[in-house]
Structure formats: C-alpha cells, structure tokens
Amino acid sequence: MPPPYKRHVFVCTNRRPEGNPKGCCASKGAEEVRAAFKEEMDKRGLKGGMRANAAGCLDTCAFGVAVVVYPEGTWYGGVKVEDVPEIVDQHLVNGRPVERLMMPFSRKEKAGS
Amino acid sequence: MPPPYKRHVFVCTNRRPEGNPKGCCASKGAEEVRAAFKEEMDKRGLKGGMRANAAGCLDTCAFGVAVVVYPEGTWYGGVKVEDVPEIVDQHLVNGRPVERLMMPFSRKEKAGS
C-alpha cells in the first residue's frame, strides 16, 4: 500500500495527431522524461516514497514537456531527459525547486509568496 | 495560462488487458468518473481554477477507481460516478475531504495528524 507519496511527479505524456497546431508533450520526448524520472528515483532508492506518474494533458501545451510536482504544485516546462537528475537531486530529495526550469506562472507565484 | 490550480484532481484511467489479475480502473468506469468530475466542475463554474486530469496507473489498483486530489494529497478509492458531486461540493469547493470515500492510508493519515 504505497501512497501517500512524499513527492508525486506527474509527467504529461499526452499524444496528439501529427500536425496538430498545439503540439504535444509525447512528441517532445515525454515518455523518455518519465522513464528518466523513474530511473533516477530508483538509483537513489526513492521508490515507494515517490512516484513518477504518467498524466494526460496538463493543459500547458506551449511549455511541454510539462511536469508538475505535488504537494508543492511546482510546474516545470520544456523538461528534457538531461534536466531530470537536477530536479530529482535538488527538488525531490532536497526540497529546493529548480527555478530555471519552472513555468512562468510557477516562478511568479514563488516570487510573490 | 491556467495553472496553478486551487485543486488538481487526478483520476487513474489506466487500462490493463482483459483478465489481468490486478484489474484496472478503466474497467471499473474511470473514464466516466473523470467525465463526471469535469461536468460537475463546469456546472459550478470551477473550470480554470481546478482540473480533472487523466492519470496513468496510481499504483493503488485494489482500490480502483482511484482518485487523488492535490495539493492536499487526499486519496479516494472505489469512486463511482454518483460519488462525484459529493466530492466536488464538499471537498473541492468547501475544503472538507469526504472521509467515507478515502483509501485506508489516507484516512489513517488524517486521523493521526
């Protein structure tokens, strides 16, 4: 009975048909990003206490690959496989969200809080 | 640019092949539950401030249809279409999670907190 998770990561893996003007996270490498989260979590023995979940459309298509981390509600955009170790180490393990990868509204919220 | 959401609802819509011993939320009506969340949110003018998201497997298959609400991290199990208005009114709008529908670990956490 694994949850509740200390941190629950949702990666948008939505796929739209080729040529859709909105684009989609799947075409930008979302499955690879999710696999990287799982792998980096496993490497650090975090499995069970955290989860890298697939999600349907997170409605932030312009910022794909889109990732949201709860319970903080930190939104990351344009996430690439090579960004994942930094998010895992700095945010998931040490609780310091990675400013440079946040979506604009997530940054603004933090700045204003 | 809609998020951050006041409440972000994830409904497991994972489908496993027929006959898989774990079962799956999809075969228990997960898509209908998600549609009901969207409809009840729309009816109450909550669209934009909240979101009913599809999710991949939430790893709580024994309790499907599985739903988790963030930022609280409240886990609901065995959710049926007819439960959705109560969750929307009582929890999403009024901030009082629906105890009778919580998964056991979610109840225990609340009781111990």
Side-chain angles (χ1 to χ4, degrees):
Chain A
M1 205 187 284
Y5 301 117
K6 185 178 174 194
R7 291 202 162 85
H8 200 166
V9 177
F10 291 90
V11 180
C12 173
T13 57
N14 191 46
R15 182 174 294 281
R16 287 207 182 82
E18 200 73 30
N20 185 300
K22 275 195 158 182
C24 65
C25 290
S27 72
K28 296 172 189 163
E31 278 298 352
E32 292 78 4
V33 166
R34 187 168 92 99
F37 269 108
K38 285 172 70 103
E39 191 185 327
E40 298 297 324
M41 286 177 179
D42 283 0
K43 269 193 213 167
R44 291 160 181 76
L46 301 170
K47 201 176 165 177
M50 300 191 185
R51 184 168 176 84
N53 227 296
C57 181
L58 290 168
D59 204 16
T60 51
C61 309
F63 303 105
V65 173
V67 174
V68 58
V69 180
Y70 282 107
E72 295 91 327
T74 302
W75 289 75
Y76 293 116
V79 179
K80 297 187 188 323
V81 166
E82 53 266 34
D83 298 320
V84 172
E86 183 178 353
I87 297 175
V88 173
D89 283 329
Q90 187 173 319
H91 183 173
L92 306 190
V93 174
N94 289 314
R96 291 181 287 108
V98 181
E99 190 82 16
R100 72 174 183 89
L101 295 168
M102 284 183 198
M103 291 191 196
F105 51 80
S106 208
R107 275 201 296 268
K108 201 160 53 184
E109 247 223 343
K110 301 291 165 189
S113 67
Chain B
M1 205 186 284
Y5 301 116
K6 185 178 173 195
R7 291 202 162 85
H8 200 166
V9 177
F10 292 90
V11 180
C12 173
T13 56
N14 190 47
R15 183 174 295 280
R16 287 209 181 82
E18 201 73 30
N20 185 299
K22 274 195 158 180
C24 65
C25 289
S27 71
K28 296 172 189 164
E31 278 298 354
E32 293 77 5
V33 166
R34 187 167 92 99
F37 269 107
K38 285 172 70 104
E39 191 186 326
E40 298 297 324
M41 286 176 179
D42 283 359
K43 269 193 211 167
R44 290 161 181 76
L46 301 171
K47 201 176 165 176
M50 299 191 188
R51 183 167 176 85
N53 227 296
C57 180
L58 291 167
D59 203 15
T60 50
C61 310
F63 303 105
V65 173
V67 173
V68 59
V69 180
Y70 283 107
E72 296 91 326
T74 302
W75 289 75
Y76 293 117
V79 179
K80 298 188 188 322
V81 165
E82 53 266 33
D83 298 321
V84 172
E86 182 178 354
I87 297 175
V88 173
D89 284 329
Q90 187 173 319
H91 182 173
L92 305 189
V93 174
N94 289 314
R96 292 181 286 110
V98 181
E99 189 82 16
R100 71 173 183 90
L101 295 169
M102 284 183 198
M103 291 192 197
F105 52 78
S106 209
R107 275 202 296 268
K108 199 159 57 182
E109 245 222 345
K110 300 292 166 187
S113 67

